[in-house]
Amino acid sequence: MSETFNIGLGNNDSEIRKQSESDFIAFWADQAKKLAWFSPWDKTLEWNPPFAKWFEGGLINASYNALDIHQKNKANKPAIIWEAESGESRILTYKDLWIEVQKFANGLKSLGVTKGDRVTIYLPMVPELPISMLACSRIGATHTVVFSGFSSASLRERIEDSKSKIVITSDGGYRRGKIVKLKEIVDEAIQNFDFVKNIIVLERTKEPIQLTSRDILWSDLIKNAPSECEAEKLDGLHPLYILYTSGTTGKPKGVLHGTGGYLTHLYSTFEWAFDIKDSDVFFCTADIGWVTGHSYVVYGPLLHGATEIIYEGAPDYPEASRMWDIIQKHKVSIFYTTPTALRMFMKFGNDIPNSFDLSALRLLGSVGEPINPEVWKWYYEIIGKEKCPVIDTWWQTETGGIMISALPGIETIPLKPGSGTRPIPGVNISIVDEEGKEVPPNTKGYLIIKNPWPGMLLTLWGDDEKYKKAYWSKFQNVYYSGDYAKIDEDGYFWLLGRADDVLKVAGHRIGTAELESCMVSHKDIAESAVCGIPDDLKGEVIIAFAVLKENVKKEYAVLEKEISDKIRNDIGPIATPKQIYFVSKLPKTRSGKIMRRLLKAIANNDSIGDVSTLEDVAAVAEIQNTVQELQKSIKEKNN
Ligand code: WTA
């Protein structure tokens, strides 16, 4: 029996669950009506598996729903309270944000950007990042935000795949007091890309930069731009954004989200999970470059006219107390962060948060990776002072919004540390075995989603086949999440990590295939394999194995540095392995599949289990030899 905590906010709206159970399509139609539509949709859902059309024919605009609808009653309410790494803050009211967005949208139009064009945004965490996104959605351009910690090679790949006409960046961004020269990274990324017409450069650091004829300063672009720009009336299915995410193949997948369904999902979950009230100050620590930032920094809070904090820098910079300082300073009432950040704060000790006034907090959330029960309890006791519900929200880039979570906004249920509790109303999630049959309680299986839901991805950008294969082929006509989970005897869901070859390092998704293909593109490497092993802080860290080409005589230390540099350069610092082992062979099945399970066990000093149960019996001896060799070389290295 796991421990439970009876804490809620006193809300109990059992009608919502009841309605969702009788007819999920009509239920979501009712939720969608809470948004502002220019005209109603023809049909709520057209389900042509695996393609769902939510609210087709309805006319809507995301930027209009985030800004225009608040001008009557909330024009002077702060929308964004931006806290710079340096401590300076800037407040944008709903009116300020509305004007900035319209000006910038007119600026984009003056460069010829029209409905359907793609715009890549490579900006640090500054207000101009949401402004750019909302300006794109205002005129029907599809934004594709690339996390500003990604390398120029990763950025290039994404600009090329999306065929972006415009790239928006800044001279640089601050990270731990240092400047990252983003404009230089963009210049490198777009070499020989004629389809990129202009680079818009925001002056954040004012460090000298080189401008060419296709570069335009943000300030020049908006200088004479009119401050009124009518929102385009767009179809419910209009592509709002592409967000690239790692999958099990070498190439990142361009997850494509639509407008009406996505906004409906966010509007509902933001209210149900976070119980948002007009007086709240919401703070989600995610970078907007990831989906959490798209959904719960940009669209979710703004749809509700909420006041939120956007913080520019690292969570422990310049002091370990930075987050608590922000919460105290701005009287944050709802705080949403990751287990990795919480584990770090926990390590710094209780005296730090205990010396701040955190009394405005009333609800705490976690996202991105499984939260360990002891971390949950620390969050509940030390940060929430045993008066705030802690919600563990499970979802994915592909689901668009929260799918499993306790929902203090509508219901009070006992919380179990480490469990996401139950699926949200209107979605149908189950846990199945390899054959797709539901597993009994407390049995680990694959998490699948049986019905379409409004926030679901439309497809993968330009690749319907890959979309079918990645999500809808393991089990017939149901969505395969790639996650393991179990349901306990009380119907609570427990998320148990990835079932596929995707790693979660500090909450960031990294595909093993992407990393391996980067490694073998080093001239001395013949083969490689990577896996994740548990880590106290980051949840998981990357361990890499490399087989060198014949006659490579370099020292391992030199090679290790070269490979690490290459990964930092080609993918980004987040994908750097903690350890690289050089081996002469990798354990494989006879069919050639690398056995990561074995590598993981070996690297983690775990028992490798019974290899004789392997399907491919003939490969056992060879694997055992390889394993012994690996163990020997790891031991040598560690000594
Ligand atoms: C993992 C992040 C356990 C999971 C919103 C999922 C979680 C992947 C949780 C998606 C959670 C997310 N508990 N695991 N509360 N939330 N995950 O696309 O493996 O960056 O498949 O979206 O994160 O990662 P993504």
Side-chain angles (χ1 to χ4, degrees):
M1 264 305 274
S2 49
E3 211 177 340
T4 58
F5 289 76
N6 283 304
I7 180 148
L9 298 171
N11 293 309
N12 248 322
D13 184 351
S14 52
E15 276 311 298
I16 291 207
R17 258 223 198 247
K18 244 191 259 154
Q19 279 167 13
S20 74
E21 278 153 16
S22 62
D23 179 349
F24 80 95
I25 300 175
F27 170 75
W28 283 117
D30 282 345
Q31 308 313 312
K33 286 177 194 151
K34 296 176 183 164
L35 298 168
W37 293 81
F38 300 115
S39 65
W41 51 91
D42 305 325
K43 192 172 174 191
T44 304
L45 173 67
E46 175 88 45
W47 180 223
N48 207 340
F51 298 96
K53 291 182 175 175
W54 285 94
F55 312 114
E56 194 179 21
L59 294 177
I60 188 163
N61 184 288
S63 167
Y64 184 89
N65 272 278
L67 301 169
D68 301 47
I69 59 155
H70 306 308
Q71 297 310 315
K72 194 159 158 242
N73 299 321
K74 294 186 178 175
N76 297 320
K77 178 178 177 179
I80 293 173
I81 301 174
W82 178 70
E83 172 95 5
E85 206 184 61
S86 63
E88 140 212 4
S89 37
R90 184 175 154 200
I91 297 179
L92 285 113
T93 63
Y94 271 91
K95 184 165 183 195
D96 298 334
L97 192 60
W98 187 50
I99 290 170
E100 293 301 320
V101 166
Q102 295 185 82
K103 276 196 196 160
F104 192 65
N106 280 324
L108 288 175
K109 274 184 170 173
S110 72
L111 297 177
V113 180
T114 56
K115 184 168 145 182
D117 284 342
R118 270 84 54 213
V119 173
T120 291
I121 306 174
Y122 187 65
L123 280 172
M125 285 286 280
V126 290
E128 286 78 5
L129 172 49
I131 290 172
S132 306
M133 294 160 78
L134 292 163
C136 286
S137 53
R138 192 158 193 93
I139 61 175
T142 300
H143 58 72
T144 161
V145 179
V146 178
F147 171 55
S148 63
F150 273 134
S151 68
S152 72
S154 296
L155 175 63
R156 182 178 175 83
E157 193 174 21
R158 287 157 174 77
I159 295 173
E160 182 167 35
D161 189 75
S162 61
K163 289 281 170 319
S164 289
K165 197 172 183 177
I166 302 280
V167 179
I168 305 171
T169 190
S170 64
D171 46 7
Y174 291 99
R175 194 72 185 172
R176 299 188 176 280
K178 293 206 188 80
I179 290 176
V180 184
K181 295 185 170 172
L182 298 178
K183 171 66 166 55
E184 283 181 11
I185 299 175
V186 172
D187 286 342
E188 200 184 321
I190 57 154
Q191 272 177 37
N192 309 322
F193 281 174
D194 292 337
F195 57 85
V196 178
K197 298 291 175 227
N198 294 106
I199 315 289
I200 302 171
V201 189
L202 173 79
E203 290 166 289
R204 166 74 190 110
T205 65
K206 308 224 165 40
E207 289 280 297
I209 45 164
Q210 290 226 326
L211 292 177
T212 68
S213 58
R214 70 173 158 186
D215 300 337
I216 299 164
L217 291 179
W218 178 295
S219 52
D220 288 340
L221 186 69
I222 60 163
K223 206 183 308 162
N224 298 316
S227 53
E228 272 173 38
C229 173
E230 206 179 321
E232 283 278 331
K233 298 182 171 64
L234 304 166
D235 191 275
L237 284 174
H238 185 77
L240 179 63
Y241 70 81
I242 306 169
L243 183 58
Y244 287 88
T245 187
S246 295
T248 51
T249 63
K251 216 173 144 244
K253 300 183 286 198
V255 171
L256 183 69
H257 279 291
T259 304
Y262 176 74
L263 297 182
T264 300
H265 195 131
L266 292 187
Y267 187 91
S268 308
T269 52
F270 195 68
E271 184 172 305
W272 300 339
F274 297 110
D275 183 46
I276 193 73
K277 299 278 185 285
D278 197 32
S279 53
D280 277 314
V281 177
F282 179 78
F283 181 16
C284 167
T285 65
D287 192 289
I288 296 174
W290 310 103
V291 75
T292 306
H294 279 61
S295 297
Y296 298 106
V297 177
V298 182
Y299 291 106
L302 298 179
L303 289 178
H304 280 273
T307 293
E308 66 169 329
I309 308 290
I310 295 185
Y311 171 58
E312 181 182 38
D316 56 343
Y317 186 86
E319 306 285 344
S321 58
R322 191 66 197 261
M323 293 295 107
W324 321 129
D325 191 30
I326 293 177
I327 292 173
Q328 172 180 282
K329 179 172 165 192
H330 299 291
K331 300 195 170 48
V332 170
S333 57
I334 306 171
F335 184 58
Y336 191 33
T337 192
T338 64
T340 290
L342 292 170
R343 285 188 291 259
M344 180 178 73
F345 302 142
M346 208 172 143
K347 217 179 66 186
F348 294 148
N350 298 351
D351 288 352
I352 299 176
N354 282 346
S355 62
F356 285 83
D357 176 6
L358 307 177
S359 61
L361 286 173
R362 66 181 194 92
L363 204 164
L364 303 170
S366 168
V367 61
E369 343 147 42
I371 181 165
N372 338 37
E374 59 282 12
V375 176
W376 190 101
K377 280 189 233 162
W378 180 85
Y379 199 16
Y380 176 73
E381 285 163 15
I382 304 300
I383 306 307
K385 316 287 182 211
E386 300 182 29
K387 67 179 179 64
C388 309
V390 173
I391 58 170
D392 174 16
T393 63
W394 177 88
W395 56 292
Q396 308 180 297
T397 304
E398 293 84 347
T399 69
I402 294 170
M403 298 295 276
I404 297 175
S405 175
L407 303 171
I410 50 168
E411 47 195 25
T412 296
I413 68 163
L415 300 170
K416 297 188 187 187
S419 164
T421 72
R422 293 186 295 175
I424 62 165
V427 304
N428 187 350
I429 300 182
S430 30
I431 313 296
V432 298
D433 63 14
E434 200 62 46
E435 273 74 55
K437 280 207 209 67
E438 275 184 29
V439 295
N442 288 314
T443 311
K444 178 172 170 177
Y446 301 106
L447 189 149
I448 57 153
I449 308 173
K450 297 204 300 209
N451 288 336
W453 66 99
M456 72 189 266
L457 70 171
L458 299 179
T459 184
L460 291 177
W461 175 253
D463 204 342
D464 287 349
E465 283 313 307
K466 194 165 163 188
Y467 166 70
K468 287 186 201 163
K469 193 157 172 276
Y471 307 106
W472 304 90
S473 66
K474 188 168 170 74
F475 304 106
Q476 190 77 40
N477 287 347
V478 295
Y479 173 87
Y480 170 54
S481 67
D483 271 25
Y484 282 128
K486 65 175 187 185
I487 305 177
D488 71 13
E489 60 288 349
D490 298 324
Y492 280 54
F493 283 63
W494 298 79
L495 279 306
L496 305 172
R498 297 290 305 193
D500 58 5
D501 292 330
V502 171
L503 309 176
K504 265 268 162 173
V505 179
H508 303 318
R509 256 163 90 158
I510 298 166
T512 50
E514 195 179 343
L515 207 51
E516 286 163 4
S517 80
C518 167
M519 285 180 66
V520 295
S521 66
H522 183 288
K523 63 179 186 333
D524 296 330
I525 297 187
E527 267 189 292
S528 82
V530 301
C531 63
I533 61 164
D535 181 79
D536 285 349
L537 194 65
K538 296 181 170 179
E540 204 169 38
V541 287
I542 302 169
I543 300 292
F545 297 83
V547 178
L548 297 178
K549 285 186 184 157
E550 275 181 42
N551 302 323
V552 174
K553 296 271 173 326
K554 274 186 209 161
E555 274 186 39
Y556 285 166
V558 174
L559 275 166
E560 197 165 346
K561 170 139 194 342
E562 282 180 17
I563 297 166
S564 293
D565 287 349
K566 183 163 178 45
I567 292 169
R568 294 174 81 87
N569 255 318
D570 290 3
I571 304 177
I574 54 166
T576 322
K578 184 174 178 202
Q579 199 69 265
I580 302 175
Y581 297 113
F582 296 98
V583 295
S584 63
K585 229 188 226 174
L586 294 170
K588 286 185 198 161
T589 59
R590 211 204 277 163
S591 60
K593 206 169 171 330
I594 295 170
M595 306 198 53
R596 288 202 185 76
R597 181 179 67 77
L598 285 188
L599 291 171
K600 201 172 167 147
I602 295 162
N604 207 26
N605 266 331
D606 285 347
S607 125
I608 56 167
D610 184 5
V611 258
S612 66
T613 59
L614 291 172
E615 262 175 43
D616 196 346
V617 180
V620 172
E622 195 188 329
I623 291 166
Q624 273 171 336
N625 285 339
T626 313
V627 164
Q628 276 162 11
E629 195 191 311
L630 285 179
Q631 276 168 332
K632 203 168 133 234
S633 63
I634 290 171
K635 221 165 156 190
E636 277 163 13
K637 174 156 189 160
N638 292 344
N639 282 338

